[in-house]
């Protein structure tokens, strides 16, 4: 197990604890009791800055604050202490369809037709916030095709990305970690700049620079960091001794490095949050941490006393149940946990409500429900009873076949024709694969009623 040194953990944790002095120690502490310096909202017209941190392939079972037992995530854990942690946030089983839902607020059957290519007719939450006066910046994995034209067209002012154009397979685009090709504000960075650099270091530096420049404009900012970590190939980070001699170009992968990759991702998160604190803008920043889908199936992790094998690409709980932590000083009670069920279409309307702007009426059908009440209210506030997904199993088909289901935090119903789970009604267990389908004859009255409700919801999305 290759973890970064204990001194690094100590100093990062200490710095982030300082950042989070506003956090109450009791999960019942009233919002009005949270310390507010009263200085961080200057220059933004009262609207919050928004920082979104998206991990690439990290299931719910990984962060220690969720019950993960194998990984060091002190900065993610402190972020959870400063805000609200959600137990039932669900993505698509794979990254490209998840990003379509996240950015557009629409289920995949409405706008997802080809892996890694988002049609320019779509509008995103970046368009929405940009039009409302936000300065927008994007760093990290893009994977939506179109290069500069699409990135700007989808609402981003500034960017530094990997994978700006469509490829059939991500590994066709080359190295994603040390020496990655980085496309920044209209052109590729020279290899003399990127050849020996770890991509996450380059993207973090860009994100910090964007935050600094955006903060000088007098406008609020939207900063989106689509992290490369901890996606395969599993390989050394700059905190590992093997980093200097590892052959990154070969695509070699060793799952033993997954631990240090998680630690390095946590380190980058801590660096950004600490920067917000140092610049006196953390107190007016809505921070969201989540992941795009479950962990790689090559990784087995200890979680709450049992082993969880990553479920990426699977429609079960390990494939779609992802971490979600939201911190917003003065708005969200600290150290709280919500079981509210949330899917990726919910983020666009939530960001609209957080920015106090109307949801767009010219973006077509929006499927999401704002979960702002579940952020700013009591941790038992519920805004949804269930969520839906339509997942394209064949990611390269021009007319993808969708597996469809409805679920809450305890039960899931697959649509008829969803091979091989056609019509199955299943009782769920956190981070565990789908169990045996329930027999209709053995259902309780409550389960029968729930199944009927799920069936009606499935019909409503056709």
């Amino acid at each position: 197990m290759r973890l970064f040194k204990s001194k690094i953990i100590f100093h990062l944790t200490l710095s982030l604890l300082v950042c989070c002095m506003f956090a109450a120690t009791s999960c019942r502490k009233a919002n009005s009791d949270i310390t507010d310096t009263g200085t961080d909202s200057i220059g933004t017209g009262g609207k919050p800055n928004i920082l979104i941190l998206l991990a690439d392939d990290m299931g719910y079972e990984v962060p220690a604050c969720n019950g993960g037992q194998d990984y060091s995530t002190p900065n993610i854990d402190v972020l959870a202490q400063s805000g609200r942690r959600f137990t039932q946030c669900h993505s698509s089983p794979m990254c490209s369809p998840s990003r379509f839902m996240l950015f557009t607020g629409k289920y995949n059957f409405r706008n997802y037709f080809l892996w890694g290519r988002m049609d320019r007719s779509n509008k995103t939450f970046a368009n929405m916030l940009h039009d409302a006066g936000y300065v927008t910046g994007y760093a990290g994995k893009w994977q939506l095709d179109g290069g500069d034209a699409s990135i700007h067209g989808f609402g981003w002012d500034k960017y530094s990305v990997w994978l700006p154009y469509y490829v059939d397979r991500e590994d066709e685009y080359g190295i994603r970690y040390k020496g990655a090709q980085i496309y920044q504000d209209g052109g590729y960075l020279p290899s003399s700049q990127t050849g020996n650099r770890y991509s996450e270091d380059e993207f973090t530096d860009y994100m910090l620079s964007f935050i600094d420049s955006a903060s000088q404009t007098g406008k609020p900012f939207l900063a989106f960091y689509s992290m490369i970590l901890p996606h395969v190939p599993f390989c050394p980070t700059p905190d590992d001794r093997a980093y200097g001699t590892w052959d990154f170009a070969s695509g070699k992968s060793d799952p033993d490095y997954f631990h240090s990759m998680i630690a390095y991702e946590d380190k980058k998160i801590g660096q950004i949050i600490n920067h917000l604190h140092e610049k006196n803008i953390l107190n007016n920043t809505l921070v969201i941490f989540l992941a795009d889908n479950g962990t790689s199936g090559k990784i087995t992790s200890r979680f709450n006393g049992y082993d969880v094998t990553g479920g990426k690409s699977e429609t079960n709980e390990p494939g779609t149940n992802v971490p979600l932590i939201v911190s917003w000083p003065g708005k969200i009670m600290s150290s709280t946990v919500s079981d509210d069920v949330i899917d990726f279409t919910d983020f666009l309307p939530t960001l609209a409500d957080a920015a106090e702007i109307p949801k767009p009426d010219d973006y077509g059908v929006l499927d999401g429900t704002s979960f702002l009440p579940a952020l700013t209210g009591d941790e038992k506030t519920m805004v949804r009873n269930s969520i839906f997904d339509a997942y394209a199993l064949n990611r390269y088909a021009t007319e993808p076949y969708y597996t469809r289901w409805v679920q809450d935090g305890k039960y899931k119903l697959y649509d008829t024709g969803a091979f091989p789970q056609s019509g199955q009604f299943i009782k769920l267990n956190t981070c565990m694969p789908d169990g045996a389908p329930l027999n209709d004859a053995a259902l309780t009255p409550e389960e029968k009623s729930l199944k009927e409700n799920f069936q009606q919801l499935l019909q409503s999305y056709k």
Side-chain angles (χ1 to χ4, degrees):
M1 183 181 298
R2 299 171 172 88
L3 298 177
F4 57 87
K5 295 180 180 179
S6 59
K7 288 184 178 179
I8 296 174
I9 298 174
F10 172 78
H11 288 298
L12 284 170
T13 306
L14 179 61
S15 65
L16 203 53
L17 282 169
V18 171
C19 295
C20 297
M21 288 177 66
F22 55 79
T25 56
S26 170
C27 66
R28 303 292 178 180
K29 189 172 180 63
N31 291 350
S32 59
D33 291 339
I34 297 176
T35 301
D36 187 341
T37 64
T39 61
D40 293 349
S41 61
I42 295 175
T44 65
K47 294 186 182 298
N49 302 308
I50 300 170
L51 169 65
I52 302 176
L53 305 161
L54 180 71
D56 196 353
D57 297 358
M58 180 193 287
Y60 182 83
E61 76 280 2
V62 171
C65 57
N66 285 350
Q69 297 172 253
D70 283 345
Y71 310 105
S72 177
T73 58
N75 294 305
I76 294 173
D77 299 343
V78 172
L79 188 64
Q81 292 169 18
S82 73
R84 184 158 296 175
R85 183 171 60 83
F86 288 79
T87 67
Q88 290 294 327
C89 178
H90 288 265
S91 66
S92 172
M94 293 286 278
C95 51
S96 187
S98 289
R99 289 158 197 266
F100 274 57
M101 287 196 292
L102 178 65
F103 288 129
T104 69
K106 300 175 184 289
Y107 288 125
N108 284 158
F109 74 92
R110 299 194 194 279
N111 64 355
Y112 176 81
F113 301 104
L114 187 65
W115 176 269
R117 289 184 179 177
M118 182 182 282
D119 189 275
R120 285 283 303 279
S121 64
N122 286 285
K123 295 293 185 180
T124 73
F125 61 64
N127 292 120
M128 175 186 73
L129 292 169
H130 182 275
D131 291 347
Y134 274 72
V135 182
T136 58
Y138 189 106
K141 178 178 174 179
W142 177 243
Q143 199 197 44
L144 295 174
D145 197 28
D148 181 80
S150 287
I151 298 172
H152 284 312
F154 291 135
W156 302 101
D157 294 314
K158 303 286 288 182
Y159 64 85
S160 180
V161 302
W162 179 77
L163 205 65
Y165 294 99
Y166 171 81
V167 290
D168 283 342
R169 293 178 55 87
E170 290 181 8
D171 55 11
E172 293 177 6
Y173 203 77
I175 301 168
R176 72 172 65 216
Y177 291 116
K178 184 181 180 182
Q181 282 189 311
I182 296 177
Y183 187 71
Q184 187 173 114
D185 295 323
Y188 288 98
L189 296 180
S191 58
S192 59
Q193 178 176 339
T194 62
N196 290 316
R197 287 212 81 190
Y198 197 64
S199 60
E200 295 288 33
D201 291 338
E202 187 71 44
F203 294 136
T204 299
D205 287 350
Y206 187 88
M207 197 91 275
L208 299 182
S209 177
F210 167 77
I211 289 170
D212 288 347
S213 62
S215 299
Q216 301 303 312
T217 66
K219 299 179 180 180
F221 64 75
L222 165 65
F224 191 99
Y225 186 3
S226 177
M227 306 187 80
I228 307 294
L229 288 164
H231 195 286
V232 293
F234 305 122
C235 48
T237 75
D239 286 339
D240 292 299
R241 290 182 179 178
Y243 179 76
T245 58
W246 189 267
D247 184 4
F248 286 87
S250 70
K252 179 182 177 182
S253 183
D254 182 349
D256 283 349
Y257 284 104
F258 187 75
H259 296 83
S260 59
M261 293 170 78
I262 293 296
Y264 204 81
E265 181 166 44
D266 183 84
K267 176 181 178 178
K268 297 286 98 176
I269 291 170
Q271 186 176 344
I272 295 171
I273 301 297
N274 191 50
H275 188 78
L276 293 175
H277 172 68
E278 291 172 348
K279 297 297 181 178
N280 293 321
I281 53 179
L282 180 61
N283 210 41
N284 190 44
T285 302
L286 169 64
V287 180
I288 300 173
F289 169 73
L290 73 164
D292 63 356
N293 52 249
T295 310
S296 166
K298 297 179 181 179
I299 302 297
T300 297
S301 307
R302 197 70 176 167
F303 169 79
N304 282 340
Y306 58 91
D307 292 333
V308 174
T309 298
K312 176 181 177 177
S313 81
E314 302 292 336
T315 62
N316 56 28
E317 292 298 282
T320 69
N321 192 1
V322 296
L324 173 60
I325 297 168
V326 188
S327 175
W328 192 3
K331 299 289 187 178
I332 300 174
M333 288 188 291
S334 61
S335 300
T336 50
V337 180
S338 172
D339 296 326
D340 202 8
V341 64
I342 292 167
D343 71 34
F344 273 31
T345 66
D346 296 333
F347 286 84
L348 186 150
T350 302
L351 294 177
D353 284 355
E356 297 184 350
I357 59 176
K359 288 176 279 295
D361 58 9
D362 57 349
Y363 283 16
V365 175
L366 295 176
D367 295 300
T369 300
S370 171
F371 59 91
L372 186 68
L375 292 175
T376 58
D378 183 85
E379 62 267 36
K380 296 186 182 299
T381 302
M382 303 294 284
V383 298
R384 267 187 182 265
N385 293 321
S386 61
I387 57 173
F388 168 80
D389 200 357
Y391 171 53
L393 293 178
N394 185 351
R395 66 181 187 173
Y396 300 120
T398 55
E399 295 183 1
Y401 168 77
Y402 292 101
T403 293
R404 298 154 42 91
W405 68 90
V406 169
Q407 71 171 88
D408 58 16
K410 297 180 179 179
Y411 293 89
K412 175 189 289 186
L413 176 65
Y414 286 98
D415 200 1
T416 55
F419 181 81
Q421 305 98 338
S422 180
Q424 291 184 2
F425 186 50
I426 296 166
K427 191 168 185 178
L428 303 175
N429 189 2
T430 302
C431 292
M432 296 300 289
D434 291 347
L438 300 174
N439 190 313
D440 281 352
L443 298 181
T444 67
E446 292 78 12
E447 289 172 335
K448 288 180 182 179
S449 177
L450 182 65
K451 183 178 180 181
E452 290 173 358
N453 181 48
F454 282 2
Q455 289 170 330
Q456 293 174 4
L457 287 170
L458 284 170
Q459 291 299 314
S460 72
Y461 286 112
K462 290 186 177 179

